[in-house]
Amino acid sequence: MLEQMGIAAKAASYKLALLSSREKNRVLEHIADALEAQADAILSANARDLDDARANGLSDALLDRLTLTPARLSAIASDVRQVCKLADPVGQVIDGGLLDSGLRIERRRVPLGVIGVIYEARPNVTVDVASLCLKTGNAAILRGGKETYRTNAATVGVIQQALEACGLPAGAVQAIESPDRALVSEMLKMDKYIDMLIPRGGAGLHKLCREESTIPVITGGIGVCHTFVDASADFAPALEIIANAKTQRPSTCNTLETLLVHRDIADSFLPALSERMAQSGVTLHADENAIALLPAGPAQVVQINPAQYDDEYLSLDLNVKLVDDLDGAIAHIREHGTQHSDAILTRTLSNADRFINEVDSSAVYVNASTRFTDGAQFGLGAEVAVSTQKLHARGPMGLEALTTYKWIGIGKDTIRA
C-alpha cells in the first residue's frame, strides 16, 4: 500500500514542479472554498474522533488540539488563502554571476519533491502541510495520529477532490488512513520516494524517526519554553506577558513552561505572580526557594519535582524557579531547554543583548511572549513545523524551508580549460 502511495506521490511531484505561481494559487483557492463548502462532512468526522478520544481518556490538552469547530475550520481555510498571497520562492535565483571561464552560474530554488509528515492530534496540520507543499510544488504523504484518522481522511478527501477538479492528480496529497503503528516504521524506510520527513509530536516520535529513518529528518515542535524575569523588569507588563505565554493557548509547543525569576525581586514579584496566575487557574510548581516566598493563595502552589523541568506540560501548569542572575538563567535554559522559544523580560539593554547572544534557541524574545513563534505570526503563512535543529531550516518552517536549490550553468559552447 505505502509503495503505491510513494509511486503516486513521486509522479505527482514532477507535475507540481512545473506549475506556475498562478496555477498553484488557483488550486489553493479551490481547496479553501471546498473546505468551507464541505465543512459538515469534516466536522462530523471530527466529532466521531472526539467521541473516541474522550472514551479513551485523552487529556484536555490533547482534546483541545484534536477539536475542530466551524470557526477553527474557517480559520484554516483563511490560512490557505493567505498562502496564496505569499511570494512563491520556487524559481527564485538566490545568487550567481559570470565566472572567469565564461560560464554563467546561478543557484535557483526548486521543490524538494515529496514531503512526509508524521503528526499526532492536530487536524489543522493536514491542511497547513498540504497548502505549503502545493505552493512550493511538493507532493505530500501525511500520517496523522490514530486519534484523528477520520478527520484526516475526510479532509484529505476534500483536498483530493479539489486537486482533481483543477486537473491535478490526487496523489499530490495523500494520507495514511490506517492507525496501524507498523505503517510508521514502513514509512520511515521510504527514501526511494520521500525526500524529507518531518515528525510533529512527542519526544518518543522524534527519537523513533532519528533512529530508524533512512530519510533526512527535520525535528522540532517540542517546546520546553522559558521566560526569565530580570531584576530590572517592569512588573505590570511582565505579568501580562507571562499570562499570555502560559494561558493564551496552553496546548501549543510555544507555551511557557518554566518561569525563571531573579532572586533580588522574588519577595515582591512572586505574590503578584500568584495573584495574576490565579485569575487564569494556573498551578505553580515551585522550587524550594520560590515556595517559601509564595503565599498560600490565591494560586495553587505545589513543590516541584526536578524532573518536571524537562516536561512539556501543555496545560495550565507553570514551573517557577529562582536564579541568582542572568548567568543562572542561561545555565538553566541550556540544561533543560529544547532550543524552541525563550524570552527575557528586562529593562537593561546589556542583559537583553547577552540573552540574545547566549541563548541558543530557534526563537529568542526580549519583552515579548513566546507565543509568537508561529509561521503566521512571523509573516510566513501557515507553517509545516517549528524546527529546533540547525541544518537546512530553523524555527517556523514556511515556504522557503520546503525548497532546495539546483546549480545552473549557462555557457556559450563553453569547455573547461
Side-chain angles (χ1 to χ4, degrees), residues 85-415:
K85 299 176 183 178
L86 299 174
D88 184 355
V90 175
Q92 174 191 354
V93 176
I94 301 171
D95 53 32
L98 185 65
L99 303 179
D100 291 342
S101 63
L103 186 69
R104 182 170 296 279
I105 198 86
E106 67 180 33
R107 285 194 302 152
R108 186 181 300 174
R109 288 199 183 278
V110 296
L112 280 162
V114 179
I115 310 297
V117 183
I118 304 173
Y119 52 105
E120 296 177 346
R122 290 178 178 272
N124 63 295
V125 173
T126 303
V127 182
D128 289 348
V129 172
S131 61
L132 287 175
C133 285
L134 291 172
K135 179 76 176 191
T136 48
N138 294 294
I141 296 178
L142 312 174
R143 202 284 185 180
K146 65 180 185 297
E147 303 87 358
T148 58
Y149 80 94
R150 296 185 188 90
T151 308
N152 294 337
T155 304
V156 170
V158 171
I159 292 171
Q160 289 180 334
Q161 290 173 29
L163 286 165
E164 291 179 325
C166 294
L168 292 174
V173 178
Q174 301 174 80
I176 300 172
E177 296 177 9
S178 171
D180 185 354
R181 284 184 173 270
L183 293 176
V184 173
S185 295
E186 187 177 343
M187 183 182 180
L188 298 181
K189 307 298 183 185
M190 292 176 63
D191 53 281
K192 183 177 179 180
Y193 305 108
I194 298 175
D195 297 286
M196 185 171 75
L197 185 71
I198 304 172
R200 291 185 58 162
L205 174 62
H206 287 212
K207 184 174 185 289
L208 176 72
C209 292
R210 285 194 301 268
E211 292 179 352
E212 295 192 11
S213 177
T214 58
I215 306 164
V217 177
I218 295 235
T219 57
I222 299 175
V224 181
C225 303
H226 301 78
T227 294
F228 170 50
V229 186
D230 191 22
S232 64
D234 189 339
F235 283 16
L239 290 168
E240 292 311 305
I241 291 169
I242 293 163
N244 178 265
K246 180 69 255 184
T247 69
Q248 201 256 351
R249 195 173 175 193
S251 63
T252 59
C253 61
N254 53 20
T255 292
L256 172 63
E257 303 292 16
T258 296
L259 186 70
L260 304 170
V261 179
H262 198 296
R263 191 179 302 275
D264 289 353
I265 60 169
D267 57 350
S268 54
F269 183 79
L270 292 185
L273 174 71
S274 176
E275 185 78 33
R276 184 64 185 85
M277 292 299 98
Q279 296 174 20
S280 301
V282 176
T283 297
L284 303 178
H285 299 252
D287 75 351
E288 59 183 10
N289 296 311
I291 207 166
L293 299 174
L294 280 163
Q300 182 179 355
V301 181
V302 296
Q303 180 86 38
I304 193 169
N305 176 346
Q308 291 173 309
Y309 288 130
D310 298 313
D311 286 347
E312 188 182 29
Y313 284 121
L314 305 175
S315 60
L316 291 174
D317 294 89
L318 178 64
N319 297 330
V320 181
K321 179 181 179 179
L322 302 192
V323 293
D324 291 334
D325 49 26
L326 178 58
D327 289 328
I330 292 171
H332 180 94
I333 293 170
R334 287 175 177 173
E335 181 176 357
H336 299 284
T338 54
Q339 297 184 309
H340 192 295
S341 302
D342 297 293
I344 183 173
L345 309 181
T346 186
R347 290 294 186 262
T348 304
L349 182 59
S350 60
N351 284 351
D353 286 341
R354 277 197 59 203
F355 193 87
I356 290 170
N357 292 331
E358 297 182 35
V359 172
D360 187 21
S361 297
S362 64
V364 180
Y365 297 93
V366 176
N367 297 326
S369 168
T370 57
R371 283 284 290 125
F372 281 104
T373 307
D374 173 86
Q377 293 292 319
F378 279 15
L380 304 177
E383 70 188 28
V384 67
V386 176
S387 169
T388 54
Q389 65 182 45
K390 299 183 181 182
L391 296 180
H392 172 61
R394 201 172 195 210
M397 293 176 60
L399 297 176
E400 286 191 3
L402 297 181
T403 65
T404 183
Y405 58 81
K406 65 171 63 172
W407 289 98
I408 299 171
I410 301 173
K412 296 181 179 179
D413 303 323
T414 307
I415 62 173

